Amino acid sequence: MKKTVSAIVAMALAATSVVSAQSLKMIDPNPDPSYDAASGVTGNAAADRSTNEGGRQGKKPESGSSYAWQLIQPLGLQEPTTIDTIFQNYSRRFVPSLISPAYATTGNYGGPGRNLIYSELLPMSDFFFNDAVLHWIQLGSKQKFYNTRIPMTLLSYNTAGGREDEQSRLYGVFSGNFNRRAQIGGLVDFLYSKGCYDYQAVKDFNWGLSGSYMGDRYEFQGYFNHWDRMGKDNGGITNDLYITDPAQLQGGQNTIQPKSIPTNLTGAHNRVKGQQLYLNNKYKVGFWREKQIDDTTVQREYIPVMRFVWTLDYNSGERIFHDGIKDDNKFWKATYLNLDGSHDCTSYWSLANTLGVELLEEFNKFAKFGLSAFVTHKVRSYKQAVDTLDRMPELPEGLTPYPYQTKVRPSITHNLVYVGGQLTKQQGSIFTYQATARFGLLGPVVGDVDVDGSLSTHFRLFGDSVRITAYGRFSNTEAPYLMNNFVSNHFIWKNDFGKTRRVALGGKFKVNRTGTLVNIGVENVQNLIYFNADCMPVQHSGSVQVLHASVGQTFRFGPVVWDNRVIYQASADQTVIPLPKLSIYSNLSFNFRIAKVLGVQLGVDCDYYTKYMSVSYQPGTMAFYNQREIECGNYPLMNVFANMKLSKVRFFVMMSHVNQGLMGNNYFSMPHYPLNPRRFQIGLSVDFPN
């Protein structure tokens, strides 16, 4: 450990000496305590995007400043975002349980997890295996584009543990401009974590390329991302007493090494890999207008009136589940295809082409909003394991009989067509708004409806900036294909699920100076699909209401900063949507500078949520299911940290789960999945401009 610390310090000092003195003018990230490290946005911002509250392009940054943006579907509207250089709370992104104020995880860094904050939980995707590891893979919703004037590289590395429980991650982002219009970028993300408990190691490799061109008439934004994640799944520990009361199992011996705790599975591996190619092309039609600069100078300015849009979006994914240990079969209730082990493979690809036309806002005094229409054609295809047992004269002893009269088709291809429109006002001093509607016309999505919108206003109150936002959404969408048809060695289902209907309404209130953010909303969902206690998908025929209210508040007393986020959730049916009623994240820190060059944040944070009948995780499907036997929660997870920044170098030291054994030992995130024990973690990030 001493060698590792010395290496980190040496890297920091070396990086400081070589980094150019010319700095980038960075846009400060939102210091909300729910900061999402992998995507570079806060939890609240992620929720904004899920309801399309974002989408305000607003004024362009001043000439010469560096800035970043993301894209909003379906036509690629630009949304301003942050360049990740802030050092406050930098360390918290390396504790998996702190991804949100309430997060169910298998424990290991890079392992499967589920957000328990309902307003931030995204609907099930077409390839649902991605959902469990969504935080760790580079999907397009996280893609950023940069304009930095000079080349920029953000390189970070963090590590923890020793030979048996090593955890490390190397993450790098590059962006460089050919000129003020054209830019290219790249991403490399390598995560390797053996885990504190046995048989839960993870290796995750993401890489990507991106580029943009922002001309007067033509715009292009595109990227290609590839991810490949392999992880062992241990099915949880065999007996929770190894954590809560080890002396009872060890004849009075009260301590046990985490790696010595037996697990339910020893040979199970899940591999998820995929790629996405996204190309957004826009051609603008307009006119030239002369702009008087001074008495002798006139500048010609191109005023776009209409844009024609073509977007190509290709996605592919493959999930392989392998377990060659025969004894592991007892973990599952059924074995359908092979008693010698599992090697299930499910793959998916889709290709969507969208054509759109946009009438742009504010090209003259009568056009105060933007209006667009689009049509999307999508082809998608699935392939699954092939069941060949019908070729055998009789079923081998020990195999479970096939549960249906007809087999699940091993492959299928769908053609889908959508039409829609969008109304936006991204610029304005009083109101901004957006509304997007999409309707399914062909294929299994016939009758699908997806409408969402938001309205924002900001004003001055007692010398402070206040923003109020109202948002809403209505959707009536088909069940994912894999929820109706799935075949594997241990799980087979054939369903005829109907469409799921959702109605959500809410509002936000934000005061910048006081650091106050209030978000209150309600959602009614009918025909929700979820996994029951048998780890099988079922559809609830009735309606379930969920009320959520969150308050974020920052208190400042000189150098002392106290960040808080409190979330209340009420589910009308906990058997269908189990949620902790109260979730709290609190961060108390002391912030100061040394010799005006070293920024320091010393502090402690705490994550807590109340007991609830917890979801659990099934490795055979990579799905989280509702169980009704064991409660989890009512345990504070505390971390002590020091975050620092010297010139362009951020670095931290942290003792995570510092309170282990001091406030009880029932630190389970899910049944049989304990949180990581106390461990020392270090890391650094270097910003290389030019």
Side-chain angles (χ1 to χ4, degrees), residues 70-95:
Q70 292 177 289
L71 300 180
I72 302 175
Q73 303 305 325
L75 297 176
L77 290 177
Q78 295 180 24
E79 178 185 31
T81 187
T82 60
I83 300 177
D84 178 21
T85 60
I86 199 167
F87 75 95
Q88 286 88 352
N89 300 322
Y90 176 60
S91 59
R92 74 181 302 269
R93 63 185 70 183
F94 304 109
V95 180

Side-chain angles (χ1 to χ4, degrees), residues 113-168:
R114 179 174 179 173
N115 198 339
L116 301 177
I117 306 302
Y118 185 78
S119 61
E120 300 175 7
L121 183 63
L122 299 178
M124 186 182 298
S125 63
D126 287 342
F127 196 65
F128 72 93
F129 304 107
N130 287 339
D131 297 349
V133 292
L134 186 63
H135 185 79
W136 311 107
I137 60 180
Q138 183 66 22
L139 292 180
S141 59
K142 303 174 183 178
Q143 183 67 46
K144 291 186 178 185
F145 298 88
Y146 302 90
N147 188 319
T148 58
R149 301 179 292 116
I150 56 178
M152 174 196 75
T153 301
L154 306 178
L155 186 64
S156 64
Y157 177 77
N158 71 280
T159 185
R163 178 180 299 179
E164 298 298 323
D165 58 355
E166 176 190 356
Q167 168 188 308
S168 63

Side-chain angles (χ1 to χ4, degrees), residues 471 505-508 518-522 547-550:
Y471 59 85
L505 298 171
K508 297 182 180 181
V518 179
N519 184 2
I520 299 175
V522 63
L547 171 69
H548 67 88
S550 66

